Amino acid sequence: MKKAQFEKAQDELERIYAIYPKYPNLHYYKGLMYSNMGNYKLAAEEYATELKNNDMSVSALIALGKTQIQMGDPKAALTHLAKAMGLQPANAEAKLNAALANHRLKNYAGAIALFQAAIQIDSGNPILYKRMGECYRDMGDLIAARGAFQKYLQMEPDASDKAEIERYL
């Protein structure tokens, strides 16, 4: 999968499936492959199958939530992301994706709280500041957005979207 040789990856996963259909994370990896290919519907199905086999898989819960956000269903995503946060309260990725889902649902206060909680866990992640700045911008708080965007550019001085972000400074 890392080399984008999806057919070979599919063959290897199918061989494992033929021997042991409930192999831990097998459907999770198939979901990742489909997600990398841009087929979010099949990816969501694979993640859901993984969760039927292991409903406590935090990585599958987060991946399904991310995929549902990509497919335009942030409300359904929050169900899985909330469960992931319950299982692993210190997981910054779960909080980031839950914040993105809340942002899409225009629940800006909830999104900001989740972004801040994720930053408490992973303060070195510049994407958290960028996404939080976008949320502040969308809710009309340009001063707070400016602060978050400045922190993002401070951490990522060569960001590919630097010119776009600098418009808000």
Side-chain angles (χ1 to χ4, degrees), residues 47 58 60 65 93 99-100 154 165 168:
Y47 296 137
V58 174
E93 185 180 10
L100 293 174
Q154 180 183 6
I165 297 296
Y168 299 104

Side-chain angles (χ1 to χ4, degrees), residues 101-155:
N102 275 296
H103 184 185
R104 293 252 173 103
L105 291 169
K106 299 189 184 328
N107 176 7
Y108 299 122
I112 293 299
L114 285 163
F115 281 125
Q116 290 172 340
I119 287 171
Q120 291 295 318
I121 297 166
D122 186 11
S123 62
N125 186 347
I127 296 299
L128 293 171
Y129 293 99
K130 176 184 175 185
R131 299 288 186 219
M132 187 166 62
E134 291 169 349
C135 188
Y136 276 128
R137 178 195 64 206
D138 291 348
M139 66 189 279
D141 189 348
L142 298 179
I143 295 170
R146 180 179 298 130
F149 285 141
Q150 284 175 333
K151 184 72 174 171
Y152 167 66
L153 289 178
Q154 180 183 6
M155 296 173 85

Side-chain angles (χ1 to χ4, degrees), residues 10 14 17 26-34 40-53 60 64:
Q10 176 73 17
E14 289 301 326
Y17 182 77
L26 175 68
H27 293 283
Y28 169 73
Y29 291 125
K30 287 178 79 174
L32 281 178
M33 182 183 67
Y34 287 129
Y40 298 115
K41 185 175 186 240
L42 277 177
E45 290 172 10
E46 291 295 337
Y47 296 137
T49 303
E50 180 66 35
L51 289 170
K52 284 179 190 169
N53 294 339
L64 181 55

